[in-house]
Amino acid sequence: MTPSSLTRAVFVVLGALFLVASPAVGQGSGTMDVPSPVLTGIEFTVTVPGDSALAEKGAPMVQVGGETQALSYDASQEQWTVEGVTVASNGGTTVEVVAGGQTLRSADTRAIPGWLSIVPPLLAIGMALLYRRVVPALFFGVWIGAVLAIGYTPWAAFKGLLDTMQVYVLGALANESHAAIILFSLMIGGMVGIISKNGGTLGIVERLTGWASDSRRGQVATWALGLGIFFDDYANTLIVGNTMRPVTDRLRISREKLAYIVDSTAAPISCLAFVTTWIGYEVGLVGTAIEGIEGFNQGAYSVFLNSIPYSFYPLLALFFVFLIAYSRRDFGPMYHAEKRARETGQVLGPDANVDEAAAEGDELSPPADAPNRAVNAVIPVVVLIGTVLAGLYATGAQAAGADASLREIIGGADSYAALMWGSLIGVLTAAALSLGQGILDLEQTVEAWYEGLKSMLFAMIILVLAWALSNITEVLHTADYLVSILGEWLPAGVVPAIIFVIAAATAFATGSSWGTMGILMPLVVPLAWAVLAKNGMASPDHYHILYSSVSCVLAGAVWGDHCSPISDTTILSSMASGCDHIDHVRTQLPYAMSVGLVALLLGTLPTGFGLPWWVSLSVGVGVLVTLHRVVGTPIETAKPPFETSDPVEASAAG
């Protein structure tokens, strides 16, 4: 389907909605809480504020379309509630509270077909897949959802557009927890900018490169540097690719191999580490996804920590990169690239198309006379991590009590406050080191902080729109509808694997792991919980399925990102490594597919049915080692025969 045909299809759908939809119906006097809209045939809850005096005329009942259900009184909340109310047909309807033959209260609502509730996220995903632009796709999804929530009149189309910004986007920004996540993410981006500008990150690089004396050590050093720069995938890609390229060229390591090591280390370590630019985004999405789950009281940061053992693709990807680097064996197109580089010194393919100048990242290059001291990067990161951990413990101990276990303390901690404290102290530490040593002046420090901050702005736009879309799916009861059609037959243990595949497919087609997480996380986590509840498994004994579902959104997004030729990080890895982009995608794909399939079939699926995560991880490691041993072909270890890092000169020397 072409973009123009999709556009026509979208307008056909919208036209059909206007034809089949009922007129907008508002709520009544406000003396009872009835959701609007509701989904036809899908259960919802009615709440009636008031004390027990409501029963003076007899037992109060809720009546909808001639069907009645008894209200129950909650003295602690001073309200009457009834669950399981349904509306049998589409259109406007009245919900009444009756007792003794009299109507005591009433409210109007509107019932819409259940399938309409999944239209906004599906349109967002479809547009993202086709146009490869996440921001307009998310915005369009929020707009269509706002129209559906109002009532599908011609006026609703315009009013929904206004509500997209004034109600949903503003509401996402006005949320205190959301604002904390945005501030933390921007501040840590600023800290990355400062420690890049003051030479700290280059100092870490120099410590590692001094050890790399042959092609094996050069690859392992590149992998280790990728682990060391864990706090941001973009910074990781740009720093490792640009700084290690002269070293790997000298050691006759192909640019394809360098791009693979850079790409397959950056995102996995950034989504696993405790304090990164990803963490605010991930915790924000998880927090939004779980806040509406009744009976689940863990904090968002605790859920993220518990999900890490189930992140099989990132964990196995990091292991496989080390295995490839250390073992001197390759397979597929990567073998031929490495063989070419070892035998001829040609680190680039004969038809490679490379624009290395585009990947230099001069804005955050240190001044020419700056000392490249690793301590200037290590100290701010350590201070950041230490402050976050101290903040988590302090707030968790206050909430959980002095006798609580460490898990209870972390679970009850105020992660948003801890992350904000840590990011502020980290930035101030980086600035103090830069100013105190005279490496940067105040203007340069502020400018470096601002450059780092700017790198996070686009991600924050995606995050805010994802929050807005999450609000829309809550208003439209999307998760309730999905559970109604999936919950009866979908085994709970299969849910994480399905989420993993959907996330991977979406990320592959859109090229954005962050956009994929933003679209799917608010949708699939409530679905996973509802499937657990439907199967009588909503208990701590089965929380591993929820943790795995969270991890599978992240892991699937990273897997699809690694396989996608339109991924921003894949493109950035090619640029920073000076590698032809198509050559990078072609050589990385067999490795990423191998790890992804092992992670899915031997990790996610078995743990969904109760196998301990460490058993699955161990089996996955064993299978990857065996696979690599069987299909991999040895490559000789090369020591530097020439001093140039220019691939053209290297070719001549070879």
Side-chain angles (χ1 to χ4, degrees), residues 293 479-496 498-499 523-539 542 545-546 549 608:
I293 296 179
D480 294 336
Y481 174 69
L482 290 175
V483 170
S484 72
I485 60 175
L486 298 176
E488 296 291 345
W489 63 268
L490 186 64
V494 178
V495 171
I498 293 176
I499 292 173
L523 191 65
V524 301
V525 174
L527 170 63
W529 178 263
V531 171
L532 288 177
K534 204 81 172 180
N535 288 274
M537 301 169 64
S539 64
H542 301 98
I545 294 178
L546 183 67
S549 297

Side-chain angles (χ1 to χ4, degrees), residues 214-217 219 251-254 257 324-330 335 338-345 633-639 641:
D214 57 35
S215 57
R216 172 194 272 182
R217 287 191 170 191
Q219 293 178 62
L251 297 171
R252 289 187 291 176
I253 299 169
S254 68
K257 176 62 77 64
I324 291 291
Y326 186 78
S327 66
R328 295 175 294 186
R329 285 176 175 267
D330 285 287
Y335 168 77
E338 284 290 272
K339 189 171 186 292
R340 179 201 68 229
R342 295 290 196 281
E343 294 179 351
T344 70
T633 304
I635 297 287
E636 65 173 299
T637 299
K639 293 186 178 181

Side-chain angles (χ1 to χ4, degrees), residues 272-304:
L272 290 173
F274 292 170
V275 181
T276 71
T277 52
W278 284 54
I279 191 66
Y281 186 77
E282 293 173 354
V283 171
L285 291 174
V286 172
T288 300
I290 66 174
E291 65 184 7
I293 296 179
E294 296 183 8
F296 186 79
N297 300 317
Q298 287 190 22
Y301 197 79
S302 175
V303 171
F304 166 74

Side-chain angles (χ1 to χ4, degrees), residues 534-579:
K534 204 81 172 180
N535 288 274
M537 301 169 64
S539 64
D541 291 340
H542 301 98
Y543 280 179
H544 66 277
I545 294 178
L546 183 67
Y547 300 146
S548 184
S549 297
V550 169
S551 71
C552 283
V553 175
L554 310 178
V558 173
W559 183 33
D561 210 36
H562 279 167
C563 298
S564 175
I566 60 172
S567 160
D568 51 358
T569 51
T570 302
I571 294 170
L572 203 59
S573 297
S574 300
M575 292 171 56
S577 303
C579 178

Side-chain angles (χ1 to χ4, degrees), residues 88-459:
S89 58
N90 299 329
T93 190
T94 300
V95 180
E96 299 177 317
V97 176
V98 298
Q102 299 183 18
T103 299
L104 305 180
R105 301 183 185 182
S106 66
D108 295 329
T109 189
R110 181 172 50 90
I112 62 175
W115 64 269
L116 289 178
S117 67
I118 63 173
V119 167
L122 287 182
L123 281 178
I125 293 172
M127 288 190 66
L129 294 179
L130 190 62
Y131 292 101
R132 300 173 182 175
R133 293 292 182 269
V134 174
V135 170
L138 285 170
F139 183 86
F140 189 74
V142 176
W143 177 28
I144 296 303
V147 174
L148 293 172
I150 294 172
Y152 309 112
T153 63
W155 164 248
F158 179 68
K159 182 64 166 58
L161 179 63
L162 300 182
D163 283 354
T164 297
M165 184 64 66
Q166 190 267 330
V167 175
Y168 297 103
V169 172
L170 178 61
L173 282 170
N175 183 288
E176 183 178 348
S177 298
H178 294 175
I181 293 299
I182 292 172
L183 289 175
F184 162 75
S185 300
L186 294 177
M187 288 293 282
I188 198 172
M191 188 195 76
V192 170
I194 294 174
I195 64 177
S196 297
K197 190 71 174 179
N198 69 16
T201 51
L202 284 181
I204 296 176
V205 170
E206 290 175 353
R207 293 290 184 92
L208 285 173
T209 54
W211 176 77
S213 58
D214 57 35
S215 57
R216 172 194 272 182
R217 287 191 170 191
Q219 293 178 62
V220 173
T222 304
W223 172 81
L225 181 59
L227 296 184
I229 305 178
F230 61 85
F231 40 80
D232 178 69
D233 61 327
Y234 287 172
N236 187 314
T237 298
L238 290 172
I239 292 168
V240 177
N242 280 301
T243 54
M244 291 302 293
R245 187 171 65 238
V247 177
T248 56
D249 283 355
R250 192 169 64 92
L251 297 171
R252 289 187 291 176
I253 299 169
S254 68
R255 293 283 181 88
E256 292 93 331
K257 176 62 77 64
L258 174 62
Y260 163 68
I261 296 174
V262 169
D263 197 6
S264 291
T265 304
I269 191 61
S270 293
C271 77
L272 290 173
F274 292 170
V275 181
T276 71
T277 52
W278 284 54
I279 191 66
Y281 186 77
E282 293 173 354
V283 171
L285 291 174
V286 172
T288 300
I290 66 174
E291 65 184 7
I293 296 179
E294 296 183 8
F296 186 79
N297 300 317
Q298 287 190 22
Y301 197 79
S302 175
V303 171
F304 166 74
L305 294 179
N306 282 301
S307 74
I308 290 176
Y310 300 95
S311 297
F312 293 107
Y313 178 75
L315 291 169
L316 292 175
L318 291 174
F319 167 77
F320 198 65
V321 172
F322 172 77
L323 180 65
I324 291 291
Y326 186 78
S327 66
R328 295 175 294 186
R329 285 176 175 267
D330 285 287
F331 60 88
M334 188 70 79
Y335 168 77
H336 299 289
E338 284 290 272
K339 189 171 186 292
R340 179 201 68 229
R342 295 290 196 281
E343 294 179 351
T344 70
Q346 296 179 23
V347 296
L348 283 169
D351 300 320
N353 183 15
V354 176
D355 180 13
E356 295 182 14
E360 294 300 326
D362 293 333
E363 295 87 352
L364 292 176
S365 298
D369 57 346
N372 297 332
R373 297 171 180 151
V375 69
N376 289 334
V378 172
I379 290 178
V381 172
V382 170
V383 168
L384 169 63
I385 295 173
T387 304
V388 170
L389 293 176
L392 289 173
Y393 186 85
T395 57
Q398 183 178 12
D403 298 330
S405 66
L406 183 60
R407 178 180 291 272
E408 292 171 335
I409 289 174
I410 296 299
D414 186 347
S415 59
Y416 301 119
L419 292 170
M420 289 184 66
W421 297 339
S423 64
L424 173 61
I425 302 301
V427 166
L428 294 178
T429 301
L433 288 170
S434 303
L435 295 171
Q437 299 172 64
I439 300 173
L440 305 175
D441 57 30
L442 183 60
E443 181 179 355
Q444 290 174 314
T445 302
V446 173
E447 185 64 26
W449 172 81
Y450 180 60
E451 288 294 334
L453 181 148
K454 285 196 301 183
S455 69
M456 300 298 299
L457 288 178
F458 187 71

